[in-house]
Amino acid sequence: MKTINVPTREEVSAESQELFDTLKKRVGKMPNLYATIGYSSHALKAFLDFEGTLNAGLFTAKEREAIALIVSEVNGCAYCLAGHTAAAILRGFTKAETLDIRRGHTADDKLNTIIALAKSITLNKGKGDAADLENFYAAGFDEAALMELIGLVTVRIFTNYVFVNTEIPVDFPAAEPIN
């Protein structure tokens, strides 16, 4: 298999370099995964725009991290599990709570509804289980929330697929395995 290296700023287009500079200012570093997406300035810009727009949506930062964790667990993405475990802890989850989310069950009923549907959408290649959809609506979510949840699953699947197809080095502390 061809080895994909994480590009340096100088190895990408001028458009990607601008995005790298913006990310470095915002995040404090250039994560390897984003740099790798930067081989295509179009892919990196589209990803950042889509993710940024969803971050302004209906779900809280903690709920978005929970979605990222369950999707990344289903897809076996060590990179995203590492990065989103760190982010989830910064957003107020404990390490134990991040592990519970990845197992698919927490002490929070509303969060359980969200992660159950995100998990079933991921496992079933887009088709959420009828019971999970019904529970989502019964918990007070509407069609707009469903569209945003699907978007959050989709954006994370993109990064999961980038990692599993490139196997770039993980530059965050590894997420603890779940049992």
Side-chain angles (χ1 to χ4, degrees):
M1 184 172 127
K2 176 182 169 106
T3 300
I4 308 254
N5 295 309
V6 178
T8 64
R9 184 182 183 282
E10 293 72 31
E11 295 174 313
V12 297
S13 69
E15 294 83 6
S16 284
Q17 288 178 9
E18 288 179 29
L19 295 168
F20 279 29
D21 294 344
T22 300
L23 276 166
K24 193 167 183 182
K25 286 177 191 169
R26 187 175 7 156
V27 180
K29 72 175 190 173
M30 187 60 194
N32 286 345
L33 187 74
Y34 289 13
T36 303
I37 296 168
Y39 274 117
S40 167
S41 62
H42 301 289
L44 183 57
K45 183 172 183 347
F47 164 72
L48 293 172
D49 288 349
F50 191 31
E51 183 179 53
T53 300
L54 290 168
N55 286 347
L58 299 168
F59 292 97
T60 68
K62 285 180 82 170
E63 291 166 341
R64 291 190 308 271
E65 290 304 332
I67 293 165
L69 286 170
I70 193 66
V71 171
S72 299
E73 182 65 36
V74 169
N75 287 325
C77 181
Y79 191 98
C80 293
L81 286 171
H84 287 285
T85 295
I89 290 169
L90 287 174
R91 302 259 190 287
F93 284 116
T94 66
K95 184 174 148 184
E97 288 171 325
T98 68
L99 294 170
D100 287 342
I101 290 164
R102 290 172 50 207
R103 288 182 192 104
H105 188 75
T106 71
D108 182 320
D109 290 336
K110 180 181 176 188
L111 192 56
N112 282 333
T113 300
I114 294 167
I115 62 176
L117 183 54
K119 181 178 181 178
S120 73
I121 288 170
T122 307
L123 283 170
N124 299 317
K125 296 179 173 70
K127 177 74 174 144
D129 290 332
D132 292 327
L133 281 162
E134 196 61 40
N135 290 338
F136 187 75
Y137 291 127
F141 293 105
D142 61 11
E143 293 85 350
L146 177 63
M147 296 305 112
E148 289 188 24
L149 178 70
I150 293 168
L152 290 164
V153 168
T154 303
V155 78
R156 201 51 46 220
I157 287 172
F158 174 72
T159 58
N160 293 172
Y161 286 9
V162 168
F163 175 74
V164 299
N165 283 284
T166 62
E167 299 180 356
I168 51 145
V170 177
D171 54 347
F172 292 95
E176 185 177 313
I178 60 173
N179 46 356

